[in-house]
Amino acid sequence: MKTQHSASLFSQACNVIPGGVNSPVRACKSVGCDPLFVTKAQGCTVTDADGNEFIDFVGSWGPMILGHGHPEVVKAIQEALPNGTSFGAPTALEVELAELVCESVPSIEKVRFVSSGTEATMSAVRLARGYTGRKVIIKFDGCYHGHADSFLVKAGSGVITLGIPGSPGVPEDIVKNTLSIPYNNIEILERTLRDASLDIACVIIEPVAGNMGVIVPEMAFLRRLRDLTAELRIVLIFDEVITGFRLALGGAQERFGILPDLTCLGKIIGGGLPVGAYGGKKEIMDMVAPDGPVYQAGTLSGNPLAMAAGLAMLKVVRQPGFYEKLEEKSTWFAEKLAEIGAKAPVSTVLNRIGSMMTCFFTDAPVTDFDSAMKADTQRYAQHFRNMLASGIWLAPSQFEAAFVSAAHEKPHLRLALDAAEESLAKLAAV
Ligand code: KE4
């Protein structure tokens, strides 16, 4: 495969951008190769700077549930563009999208738009602290909520001691109020939330984990989390930046029938343009400035082009049968993938819900951070490179999700299945 243009772009990029990329995972460090630079994408395929075409299972890390360049999204942006790109003033577009979000997501009565998932989660946590007057936030090992300081704690620190910084530059006194505990562990959850010495404002969770690879919570765990936070009047925040409008129109909370107090959204609601959002009960959301005292602001929040793209995308996913069709296609694909895995000479475990999935190179169930960390990342890296050579673009990390979009048709999925079968056979030979 020719990669000269990507290679020269990468060396140019490294002179002026840290790591040559604008988000670390794109550097492909954990899969032992240099990043390919994309020039265009259409439907379920992306094309790189050397003209190589790939069937895309990254989907820009989740937003591209319709596939790339969906005509309705493109048209909406083209129609909005001549009116201007940003006003710093309210527009009808953001009201329409806010109404659609409130209609679609069961627990959201009011919503505030921001420009990224990180902004959404950091704002939701600030709001929960402002609303409760308490300080401590509980998160779960392996869940990622963006790069705000208070989320960057070492996994497992909460069970042993208070938060330990997970990155240089994050002061201890910021993360001492963050505890990270194991996902899917009811006993530790109960003990932590009932610890009277903790001044807990909120619990934030990915209702399906997507950042340690895909891990579906045990329903008893998620139900217990909801019941305990309700009993103890702790704000429950669902980080649905990935699962929102992915697992159902109303996200994981609709699919599981478990409603949080606040929800964070991103990715899909921007139609590929920068949008995040946080929303929930009116009583809590009315604490947000300018109505309430909890401050949050953003120059490009509610950007008209992004609102137009998000509106177009949501109008398509709201069409009858959209999720049923995506579910049928994804189920067929995952079942075939599991059959291939079962016959393969290397051990793999496939975790999947809806159109998001992860193939772990391991031989035991993956139910939390510790079991996910047992995966063979070197084997995954080799698999990634095998698949790329076969024209299949997977996430360049074992600990991410693969996404099926509405643009993936059976022939594309069959090509991916054939490539996977070939790769797994090759892996056994090394
Ligand atoms: P952004 O700030 O990247 O828009 O969103 C942060 C975020 C919040 N919550 C969840 C559950 C998320 O998955 C994310 C971001 N996801 C990663 C990949 N899983 C984005 C990819 C990247 O960092 O480049």
Side-chain angles (χ1 to χ4, degrees), residues 23 25 61 116-118 144-146 206 211 239 241-242 267 400:
S23 200
V25 69
W61 305 97
S116 72
T118 295
Y144 174 69
H145 304 293
E206 289 181 64
N211 287 286
D239 177 350
V241 168
I242 291 181
K267 297 184 192 277
E400 293 286 355

Side-chain angles (χ1 to χ4, degrees), residues 61 141-144 183-184 206-217 242-243 349-353 356-361 366-369 371-373 375 377 380 395 397-403:
W61 305 97
D141 296 345
C143 285
Y144 174 69
Y183 200 79
N184 269 332
E206 289 181 64
V208 169
N211 287 286
M212 48 180 150
V214 173
I215 295 182
V216 184
I242 291 181
T243 57
V349 166
L350 183 67
N351 281 4
R352 191 271 305 194
I353 180 167
M356 60 189 280
M357 61 193 80
T358 298
C359 176
F360 289 94
F361 282 81
V366 179
T367 58
D368 60 11
F369 179 70
S371 47
M373 288 304 115
T377 53
Y380 179 84
S397 162
Q398 166 69 98
F399 306 114
E400 293 286 355
F403 296 103

Side-chain angles (χ1 to χ4, degrees), residues 192-347:
T192 307
L193 267 55
R194 290 194 183 288
D195 180 342
S197 69
L198 294 172
D199 183 31
I200 302 173
C202 62
V203 177
I204 184 167
I205 189 168
E206 289 181 64
V208 169
N211 287 286
M212 48 180 150
V214 173
I215 295 182
V216 184
E218 284 140 31
M219 282 304 110
F221 166 75
L222 206 58
R223 167 51 57 204
R224 191 70 194 125
L225 172 62
R226 177 61 287 183
D227 293 345
L228 270 172
T229 46
E231 177 200 331
L232 300 166
R233 301 183 59 71
I234 293 169
V235 173
L236 177 57
I237 303 172
F238 272 11
D239 177 350
E240 297 224 41
V241 168
I242 291 181
T243 57
F245 297 98
R246 167 67 57 181
L247 294 185
L249 183 65
Q253 57 193 271
E254 175 190 305
R255 194 167 179 127
F256 299 149
I258 298 177
L259 302 194
D261 302 306
L262 292 176
T263 300
C264 302
L265 298 168
K267 297 184 192 277
I268 290 173
I269 61 167
L273 270 63
V275 179
Y278 64 102
K281 288 178 176 164
K282 186 179 173 309
E283 174 202 344
I284 304 177
M285 290 302 291
D286 283 345
M287 292 280 289
V288 178
D291 272 358
V294 178
Y295 194 70
Q296 178 269 311
T299 303
L300 296 175
S301 298
N303 174 273
L305 297 190
M307 295 292 106
L311 264 171
M313 182 167 268
L314 295 203
K315 284 174 183 167
V316 174
V317 303
R318 283 167 63 89
Q319 284 163 9
F322 176 84
Y323 287 99
E324 289 76 6
K325 202 157 164 256
L326 187 60
E327 189 73 27
E328 183 275 327
K329 184 186 310 192
S330 304
T331 303
W332 176 84
F333 180 62
E335 284 171 354
K336 295 289 178 205
L337 213 45
E339 280 167 27
I340 289 167
K343 286 185 305 203
V346 291
S347 302

